[in-house]
Amino acid sequence: MTQPSLDLVIAALERIREKSDHAPRASRTALARLQAAPVAASLLAAPELREGGREGCTSPTERGLQAPNKADLLAAVRERVRVCTKCAHLACSRTQTVFGVGNPDADLMFIGEAPGADEDQQGEPFVGRAGQLLTRILKAMNFAREDVYIANILKCRPDMPAGSFGNRPPTPTEMQTCRPYLVEQIDIIQPSVLVALGAVAVEGLLGTRATMRELRGRWHTYNSIPLMITYHPAYLLRNQAPSEKRKVWEDMLQVLERLERPISERQRNYFL
Ligand code: SF4
């Protein structure tokens, strides 16, 4: 099947899935696999690579041809996001989409709300001041950014009125429109633990509206994956109270315990 044909099939399945209570029986991961298939398909189409092809020839499996890996699957989704115009106003105002960054095989995945101005410019989530704080938190947990996966609910920066500065939170409609891409990312990565950063990320992921006081510091689940909810690093930049920083760190200690990572005494007593 050619790439344009595949795109049509995938778009049609996505439309049915989004509009119907009885979605077609194709997971988003399966759709991503379908999209990642042309390379493998073209290789398998070569006569010498077909199973049972010529006598004495090795099979594709024997030649090391394998199903697309997580990086391939994510790349296929990233390409659809790159050209996505589902939110016409955001597609017009963005510099670029901000898909996600990190290890496709990560055990730990962080979810934020939406790109800000810095992320829009650089095409990577969490690179501004809040992102630098997240990187410091990861370091204190003995992780590098490359060890985990970081993504947002929204892949485009929420637009701002002309002449105004700063960032705005995404609307519920924008989050609902973009959420399927995040669902695909999680389906592909299958992390052992998810961390949602802030109430907006929680609303986008779970559809739950509640205060952080009610949500944070305890385990929730998303599709059977343990989900820890904690404050967004931007909140810690606004509120420098040691008690608030300690709360985030205690949430991260719970994450480390859940991942069965060793925790030193120094880490236990650490304050962000
Ligand atoms: S926010 Fe998401 S759904 Fe909307 S245009 Fe950007 S990538 Fe597409």
Side-chain angles (χ1 to χ4, degrees):
M1 195 181 287
T2 62
Q3 187 62 45
S5 309
L6 274 171
D7 288 345
L8 284 174
V9 171
I10 289 168
L13 286 171
E14 282 190 333
R15 276 199 300 279
I16 295 168
R17 186 184 176 113
E18 280 160 16
K19 288 182 181 161
S20 168
D21 288 339
H22 303 288
R25 294 177 67 82
S27 71
R28 293 193 177 280
T29 306
L31 293 178
R33 279 187 204 284
L34 191 58
Q35 189 152 63
V39 176
S42 63
L43 287 170
L44 290 170
E48 69 275 21
L49 292 180
R50 279 191 215 119
E51 296 278 4
R54 289 189 217 142
E55 208 172 317
C57 288
T58 52
S59 70
T61 313
E62 287 164 339
R63 285 171 179 252
L65 282 180
Q66 293 167 342
N69 60 27
K70 290 183 180 183
D72 294 335
L73 297 173
L74 285 173
V77 184
R78 180 193 289 268
E79 184 51 27
R80 277 187 284 127
V81 167
R82 189 181 68 79
V83 295
C84 178
T85 55
K86 286 186 196 173
C87 316
H89 59 301
L90 301 186
C92 287
S93 62
R94 74 189 177 207
T95 304
Q96 59 194 312
T97 53
V98 180
F99 182 66
V101 69
N103 179 1
D105 294 305
D107 277 342
L108 179 56
M109 179 170 176
F110 288 82
I111 298 167
E113 55 185 66
D118 295 318
E119 289 76 18
D120 175 67
Q121 284 298 317
Q122 297 186 41
E124 185 172 323
F126 283 90
V127 292
R129 284 182 65 224
Q132 288 160 17
L133 177 52
L134 177 61
T135 304
R136 287 208 298 279
I137 293 170
L138 288 172
K139 198 172 169 201
M141 297 171 77
N142 280 338
F143 283 116
R145 268 174 82 95
E146 302 74 46
D147 296 331
V148 303
Y149 198 89
I150 306 171
N152 284 314
I153 303 283
L154 224 65
K155 311 305 187 200
C156 297
R157 184 190 179 207
D159 56 346
M160 296 292 289
S164 59
F165 298 97
N167 300 311
R168 70 163 172 87
T171 66
T173 302
E174 289 166 345
M175 289 197 286
Q176 203 180 351
T177 307
C178 203
R179 183 179 182 275
Y181 293 130
L182 178 71
V183 169
E184 285 188 77
Q185 288 172 296
I186 298 171
D187 280 353
I188 292 168
I189 296 166
Q190 286 293 317
S192 304
V193 171
L194 285 164
V195 176
L197 299 165
V200 177
V202 175
E203 185 184 341
L205 184 65
L206 303 181
T208 305
R209 271 196 195 188
T211 64
M212 286 304 287
R213 189 184 293 246
E214 294 162 325
L215 293 169
R216 68 145 286 278
R218 62 189 173 83
W219 288 103
H220 305 252
T221 55
Y222 165 81
N223 265 5
S224 306
I225 302 173
L227 167 69
M228 175 56 68
I229 296 172
T230 195
Y231 289 123
H232 194 286
Y235 169 78
L236 294 184
L237 293 174
R238 292 192 303 272
N239 186 342
Q240 299 273 343
S243 59
E244 299 304 278
K245 294 181 179 178
R246 179 66 199 177
K247 284 177 191 167
V248 171
W249 184 242
E250 283 175 0
D251 297 341
M252 295 305 100
L253 287 175
Q254 287 199 61
V255 168
L256 288 174
E257 278 168 6
R258 193 77 181 221
L259 290 170
E260 298 183 358
R261 304 271 295 200
I263 303 175
S264 68
E265 203 52 35
R266 187 163 175 266
Q267 282 176 309
R268 289 218 178 269
N269 298 325
Y270 186 76
F271 272 78
L272 294 171

